[in-house]
Amino acid sequence: MEPDKYLSNYIDGALVPPVSGAYLDNYDPSTGQVYSHLPDSDERDVQRAVEAAERAFPLWSKAGPEQRFNTLMRIAALIEQQREAFARAETIDSGKPLSLSDSVDIPRAQANFRFFATAAMQFASEAHHMEGTAANFTLRQPLGVVGCISPWNLPLYLFTWKIAPALAAGNCVVGKPSELTPMTAHLLARVCMEAGLPPGVLNIVHGLGPKAGQAIVAHPKTKAISFTGGTATGRHIVSVAGPMFKKLSLELGGKNPNLIFADCNFEAMMADTMRSSFSNNGQICLCGSRIYIERPLYEKFRDEFVRRTEALRVDAPLSPDSSLGALVSRQHLEKVESYLALAREEGGRILCGGTRPPMEGPQRGGYYLRPAIIEGLAPTCRTNQEEIFGPVVTIAPFDTEEEALALANGTTYGLAATLWSQDISRANRVAEQLQAGIVWVNCWMVRDLRTPFGGVKHSGVGREGGNEALRFFTEPKNVCIKYG
Ligand code: NDP
């Protein structure tokens, strides 16, 4: 299956052009060339999608878990069957290495459907018995039409992480992928048609955030918005949806700390720290961007970290040898570079990377950057406080557990934290005090889809994953029945 040149919206079970007839350019980050076009949708497309979703809701919400299970499992199976095409499309669209799309993004997208298909069959609600008086049971009913808006860093992975639980719980969805990475959502629409998903149950509207995304958030008929993206966009969404009393799930930015104690398993820590720093060019919300090392280990860590980072191969994302592909867009590359300039101004020493590598042939126009490690920065400086979301990390030593905790907790963010120590008591103590929604001890990015996923402080509101997601996408109603 070759990707289309002109992408379509998916509304009411059909692939349709935008009402305006206008299209946006879609760039291949590995070359900087336009390679396809996506609908520049507006509120008229969203209106059609919402109407289709409303029409589909009565049947889908009453279809029962087994029918929903069967349909979602068919979607998962088709993604699996077309895995190669999906992985290639994801790589061309986002600039990430094919090895990553093929081993992480696409397997996880189909796992999301499989996981929530089975979760729908297991989901149960509570009952509260009042001795001799009454019984209460909690009805959990789907909300209706919900909006799902996702970012570009893990395009299909995060889009399906929202869509799958929303559909499993019996809702109908109007979704918008990032305008920078629309291709696999377009392929997903084809898969849904092939899988026999009833028309209108899932609608995908492509386009710009402030236009198409805004229309989904502001539409009076979307009952809930599940959003993953930047903190500033999240704040704006709250200002629109909050006064309309919509349910909101917000997965926002991060500035995740890694705390490395001197007693850690050095080899395991080094291997995972390389991944947590530079996987997907550091463009994963869970990547650790501030690395704090207990002083006795600092120099050994720094030298080995720099050596391994310099050995990473920045190459065309379709090349099998590529460890780091291209950043997602020219604008994002320039934003990351502006933080490198800021780090220098703030007194940081760039120990390696931070420059554009010389590329050959069509790759000369791509958005490549060598991964960078910076030391010598104060914890309060902007480089250490603001999200960069690129292949850039800072390192600094610490002396005591208290200092490590203060450094880790010293930002407005609180998504994830990683800590490395062989001392189980310390690991427990520190994990308890870290201000983060997710703490990894002696590992990184080990994911069980049943666990609550989300951040504290400016990293978000609410949790995704497992029953948390099914609860978000349903409204609890208490039914009280008096005895006798
Ligand atoms: P953005 O906030 O720019 O965009 C996210 C999505 O929202 C895109 O689909 C975007 O569309 C859309 N959007 C933009 N403006 C509006 C609006 N006014 N109304 C409705 N929708 C809108 O984030 P990025 O795409 O740049 O993604 C990177 C960010 O996502 C980082 O901050 C990262 O930390 C965060 N993130 C958080 C995760 C978590 O789980 N906490 C996971 C992954 C990423 P368009 O693309 O067209 O602008």
Side-chain angles (χ1 to χ4, degrees):
M1 183 167 57
E2 267 308 304
D4 295 336
K5 267 245 173 295
Y6 279 82
L7 278 59
S8 307
N9 286 333
Y10 172 51
I11 297 177
D12 209 8
L15 295 174
V16 294
V19 176
S20 65
Y23 287 82
L24 301 162
D25 290 336
N26 189 23
Y27 289 83
D28 172 351
S30 75
T31 62
Q33 298 297 310
V34 173
Y35 83 104
S36 63
H37 307 271
L38 65 142
D40 183 5
S41 309
D42 59 32
E43 68 284 352
R44 292 169 293 173
D45 304 278
V46 169
Q47 179 61 29
R48 289 182 179 192
V50 171
E51 284 170 10
E54 276 197 295
R55 282 195 298 277
F57 181 68
L59 270 184
W60 183 249
S61 58
K62 299 274 179 319
E66 200 158 334
Q67 190 188 325
R68 296 203 283 267
F69 166 84
N70 286 328
T71 312
L72 298 185
M73 290 297 272
R74 278 200 297 277
I75 295 173
L78 286 167
I79 296 174
E80 174 59 24
Q81 267 174 32
Q82 297 167 25
R83 175 170 163 175
E84 236 173 80
F86 267 96
R88 203 180 145 80
E90 199 71 292
T91 281
I92 294 171
D93 225 20
S94 66
K96 67 179 67 191
L98 185 58
S99 56
L100 198 62
S101 301
D102 193 49
S103 64
V104 176
D105 291 72
I106 306 309
R108 175 58 192 277
Q110 63 91 1
N112 288 339
F113 277 108
R114 220 185 283 279
F115 177 83
F116 282 108
T118 58
M121 299 282 278
Q122 311 287 337
F123 194 42
S125 64
E126 313 85 45
H128 299 89
H129 170 59
M130 298 165 75
E131 202 75 27
T133 309
N136 296 274
F137 69 92
T138 310
L139 255 186
R140 286 222 159 246
Q141 295 170 304
L143 304 172
V145 181
V146 299
C148 296
I149 300 177
S150 56
W152 48 260
N153 63 324
L154 298 164
L156 192 66
Y157 175 135
L158 288 177
F159 197 45
T160 54
W161 182 231
K162 299 179 177 307
I163 288 171
L167 296 181
N171 301 281
C172 292
V173 172
V174 178
K176 191 197 93 62
S178 169
E179 145 237 347
L180 296 173
T181 51
M183 188 56 87
T184 47
H186 174 73
L187 299 183
L188 175 68
R190 289 190 180 286
V191 155
C192 290
M193 291 162 76
E194 204 180 331
L197 186 71
V201 170
L202 170 64
N203 305 275
I204 299 174
V205 179
H206 291 281
L208 298 168
K211 205 185 323 182
Q214 174 85 14
I216 295 172
V217 175
H219 198 291
K221 294 283 174 57
T222 51
K223 299 281 194 308
I225 302 296
S226 175
F227 169 80
T228 298
T231 295
T233 317
R235 190 173 286 120
H236 173 75
I237 286 175
V238 170
S239 76
V240 176
M244 299 172 87
F245 304 111
K246 297 190 184 201
K247 265 185 125 174
L248 285 176
S249 166
L250 303 171
E251 301 294 339
L252 309 176
K255 191 72 183 171
N256 307 316
N258 292 15
L259 299 185
I260 299 172
F261 289 90
D263 68 346
C264 69
N265 175 331
F266 188 78
E267 201 32 59
M269 178 279 294
M270 276 313 306
D272 268 8
T273 304
M274 290 303 296
R275 290 196 312 121
S276 75
S277 303
F278 301 122
S279 286
N280 201 27
N281 255 322
Q283 302 168 131
I284 301 181
C285 52
L286 304 166
C287 278
S289 56
R290 298 176 295 138
I291 306 176
Y292 296 112
I293 307 101
E294 202 171 8
R295 198 174 296 276
L297 192 65
Y298 184 76
E299 281 178 19
K300 178 178 173 190
F301 170 83
R302 179 192 59 200
D303 296 348
E304 182 60 13
F305 191 36
V306 169
R307 191 187 68 72
R308 292 193 192 197
T309 301
E310 281 177 330
L312 289 174
R313 191 176 164 83
V314 180
D315 203 347
L318 286 173
S319 152
D321 302 328
S322 175
S323 6
L324 293 177
L327 273 70
V328 74
S329 67
R330 175 172 303 285
Q331 196 190 14
H332 189 57
L333 171 64
E334 287 168 359
K335 177 192 148 183
V336 174
E337 287 176 325
S338 77
Y339 273 102
L340 289 160
L342 176 70
R344 281 190 203 96
E345 274 169 40
E346 290 180 325
R349 287 182 299 284
I350 298 181
L351 301 178
C352 63
T355 52
R356 297 188 190 190
M359 304 299 288
E360 299 287 324
Q363 266 67 43
R364 275 205 293 265
Y367 315 134
Y368 300 93
L369 189 68
R370 287 200 184 91
I373 301 171
I374 311 171
E375 76 169 354
L377 285 169
T380 50
C381 73
R382 280 183 54 207
T383 309
N384 268 328
Q385 290 291 318
E386 297 176 13
E387 185 180 45
I388 301 174
F389 215 56
V392 177
V393 295
T394 63
I395 60 172
F398 67 85
D399 289 301
T400 64
E401 197 175 297
E402 292 68 33
E403 187 191 357
L405 269 166
L407 289 166
N409 292 338
T411 73
T412 55
Y413 292 107
L415 185 55
T418 302
L419 89 93
W420 290 90
S421 172
Q422 302 275 49
D423 177 344
I424 186 70
S425 302
R426 170 156 59 200
N428 281 326
R429 216 166 38 234
V430 173
E432 194 189 359
Q433 293 175 80
L434 280 166
Q435 295 167 358
I438 302 151
V439 176
W440 276 297
V441 179
N442 297 330
C443 60
W444 178 71
M445 196 93 172
V446 175
R447 291 282 294 115
D448 179 329
L449 303 189
R450 294 168 299 182
T451 59
F453 180 91
V456 300
K457 304 201 282 189
H458 292 191
S459 288
V461 179
R463 294 291 181 272
E464 299 187 306
N467 285 340
E468 298 282 343
L470 294 175
R471 285 196 197 101
F472 174 75
F473 284 116
T474 52
E475 194 72 77
K477 180 191 290 176
N478 187 64
V479 179
C480 177
I481 305 166
K482 193 166 182 295
Y483 292 144

